[in-house]
Amino acid sequence: MNNKLTCLAAGILGASLAACSAAGPQKSEVISSVQLPDRSTARIPGDESGWQMVWSDEFDGVAIDRGNWAFDVDCWGGGNEERQCYVDDPANASIEDGKLVITARKQEHTGPAYPPHIRGSMEDPDALATKPFTSARLATRGKAAWQYGRIEVRAKLPQGQGTWPAIWMLPEDSAYGSWAASGEIDIMEAVNLGVECAECPDGREDTILGTLHFGGLWPNNSLNSSEMHAPAVLDGFHTYGIVWTPGRIEWTFDGAVFAVKEAESWWSANSDKANAPFDKPFHLILNLAIGGGLPERRGVGGVSESDFPKRFEIDWVRVWECDASPGVEGTCSQAAEE
């Protein structure tokens, strides 16, 4: 979900991803282009036996379960020059008809300029900022975190220039140092969906991204990302997920694997462990940003202020862990051995 300065490296699923940075192997930004999988031949992790559900939120109550979710409240912009303040307000996040709805509104708001984790390092920790939009960001931080497993979120994504919905994960404890040395897992990001796009199959933006952030402390951070055209995302609910095993992370769309990254493609500057930094518990984040570097550089540029409010609807969130003996054919344990 952080700002991305990227070079485009064309590739296909399973291809070796090469770093492309003049700064050398400890400073790389890689994007590979992958194809929508054919479900008749794709791996479908949910069809494997041995998965045990360990956490879920079906959003079937009358209000957001504060035992599951914490609200971030700040006008920082995520380090990306995003244009929203995150607020804890039912107008921006609520349960409707069995779904969590995160709503971005064209509404000027003033709030804390920095999130709590960096205020102490700022010259004026109590500084305020004013932004032209409000939205919400919910996290399981301090409530639930996982090290390995299968994580899926069924959601309907907003459209329009400048919209940036995200399903992603951050380390529960930054064991290897501050961002990005302790890692970040972006399960799904999409920007500017539905906007005119000459390169897209149906002429409208339909790209989803799955990304890892890692390496050194900012600004010596690195990323490895896969982008895929998925025209179906423009119509209704779809399921976005990862299967995370030691040294391997797979991204899924509607249950089918479309991208794979292995430990050889990531590292932490502060550890020589083979799988670091993706060998620690991470918590989950759901948010809808407006503007920022990634969406404003793409599409027709900037942020369109039309057609607000924008809605990011989440039907459910589910987490499974693998409880199968190693090497048993047809079980979830195969993922770590392929």
Side-chain angles (χ1 to χ4, degrees), residues 140-288:
T140 66
R141 181 183 58 250
K143 301 174 184 295
W146 307 274
Q147 180 180 347
Y148 310 131
R150 178 171 135 237
I151 300 166
E152 293 185 346
V153 178
R154 184 164 178 80
K156 180 179 180 181
L157 308 181
Q159 300 183 24
Q161 178 67 38
T163 55
W164 189 0
I167 303 165
W168 53 302
M169 304 181 79
L170 284 175
E172 186 73 355
D173 299 302
S174 296
Y176 302 121
S178 60
W179 196 85
S182 290
E184 173 183 322
I185 303 170
D186 296 339
I187 297 173
M188 188 287 304
E189 298 177 276
V191 297
N192 309 328
L193 289 177
V195 172
E196 184 177 347
C197 170
E199 298 79 21
C200 298
D202 294 334
R204 295 194 297 155
E205 181 59 71
D206 57 11
T207 304
I208 58 174
L209 296 81
T211 305
L212 298 178
H213 295 269
F214 52 89
L217 308 184
W218 183 89
N220 296 314
N221 50 291
S222 301
L223 67 86
N224 194 316
S225 182
S226 295
E227 294 193 355
M228 182 181 74
H229 289 298
V233 301
L234 300 180
D235 182 21
F237 285 84
H238 296 276
T239 303
Y240 308 92
I242 58 168
V243 179
W244 175 23
T245 55
R248 183 181 177 96
I249 301 176
E250 301 168 283
W251 280 258
T252 62
F253 174 66
D254 283 342
V257 173
F258 71 86
V260 180
K261 302 187 190 303
E262 297 183 324
E264 291 79 5
S265 65
W266 71 67
W267 64 88
S268 174
N270 294 334
S271 176
D272 59 2
K273 294 181 179 179
N275 296 329
F278 302 111
D279 59 352
K280 300 289 185 182
F282 278 58
H283 60 259
L284 185 66
I285 303 168
L286 306 172
N287 71 282
L288 173 55

Side-chain angles (χ1 to χ4, degrees), residues 5 56 66 75 79 111 123 130 147 162 180-181 190 231 258-259 279 283 289 303 333:
L5 300 175
S56 70
R66 300 296 178 124
C75 300
E123 182 176 347
T130 300
Q147 180 180 347
F258 71 86
D279 59 352
H283 60 259
V303 174
S333 67

Side-chain angles (χ1 to χ4, degrees), residues 4-129:
K4 301 174 177 66
L5 300 175
T6 59
C7 59
L8 183 62
I12 60 174
L13 183 62
S16 174
L17 302 182
C20 49
S21 170
Q26 296 302 310
K27 176 63 177 178
S28 62
E29 295 90 16
V30 177
I31 296 179
S32 91
S33 299
V34 299
Q35 301 299 314
L36 187 69
D38 181 344
R39 290 189 64 86
S40 67
T41 57
R43 177 164 169 261
I44 311 293
D47 289 347
E48 301 162 349
S49 63
W51 291 112
Q52 299 294 320
M53 187 177 293
V54 295
W55 191 93
S56 70
D57 198 329
E58 306 295 326
F59 305 113
D60 52 6
V62 297
I64 294 169
D65 186 344
R66 300 296 178 124
N68 287 344
W69 304 98
F71 280 73
D72 289 338
V73 176
D74 63 70
C75 300
W76 181 40
N80 306 301
E81 302 297 329
E82 297 160 18
R83 302 195 190 193
Q84 80 287 326
C85 288
Y86 287 128
V87 298
D88 181 351
D89 189 317
N92 296 95
S94 62
I95 303 298
E96 298 182 21
D97 299 322
K99 301 174 182 64
L100 168 65
V101 181
I102 297 176
T103 304
R105 298 181 177 277
K106 188 176 182 298
Q107 175 186 51
E108 187 174 281
H109 184 85
T110 299
Y114 309 110
H117 73 278
I118 65 171
R119 286 176 196 165
S121 63
M122 296 295 135
E123 182 176 347
D124 181 4
D126 299 320
L128 300 177

